[in-house]
């Protein structure tokens, strides 16, 4: 997945850098990895990035805000948000 991510963000050379050769090394050097990944992500729309990452074989999911959750079509279709009247308060 790391190789696919590096290729997708246009930084394939990172995948062969010894500093990132294992998950431990990537964790240890995450400060240096943050910039190229964040730079790529900042130019993407959230759902486009999600679909591109998934298509490249990188496990990914969009991060939703609370407002996104209320407006999301899946949760609306499941009627997760319903108005209720509280009989004790009348609201």
């Amino acid at each position: 997945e790391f190789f696919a991510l590096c290729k997708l963000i246009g930084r394939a050379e990172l995948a062969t850098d010894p500093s990132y050769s294992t998950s431990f090394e990537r964790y240890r050097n995450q400060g240096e990895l943050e910039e190229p990944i964040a730079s790529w992500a900042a130019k993407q729309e959230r759902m486009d990035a999600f679909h591109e990452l998934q298509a490249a074989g990188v496990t990914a999911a969009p991060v939703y805000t609370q407002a996104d959750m209320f407006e999301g079509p899946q949760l609306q279709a499941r009627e997760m948000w319903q108005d209720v009247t509280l009989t004790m308060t009348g609201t």
Side-chain angles (χ1 to χ4, degrees):
E1 285 185 70
F2 182 65
F3 181 79
L5 172 65
C6 293
K7 185 177 176 184
L8 178 66
I9 68 171
R11 296 293 305 272
E13 76 280 2
L14 295 174
T16 57
D17 186 320
S19 299
Y20 313 120
S21 61
T22 66
S23 58
F24 176 76
E25 290 298 325
R26 291 189 290 276
Y27 175 78
R28 201 170 83 165
N29 296 298
Q30 62 185 308
E32 292 85 24
L33 279 175
E34 185 175 338
E35 190 282 323
I37 296 170
S39 178
W40 175 82
K43 299 172 190 164
Q44 308 299 314
E45 292 294 327
R46 177 181 45 206
M47 293 306 290
D48 292 340
F50 162 60
H51 290 297
E52 285 186 48
L53 288 162
Q54 288 279 307
V58 179
T59 302
V63 176
Y64 292 110
T65 65
Q66 190 173 20
D68 295 332
M69 301 233 350
F70 282 105
E71 297 169 5
Q74 289 179 328
L75 295 181
Q76 285 188 1
R78 293 176 179 262
E79 299 180 353
M80 292 292 291
W81 318 120
Q82 297 180 18
D83 292 329
V84 296
T85 300
L86 302 175
T87 56
M88 295 181 76
T89 63
T91 59

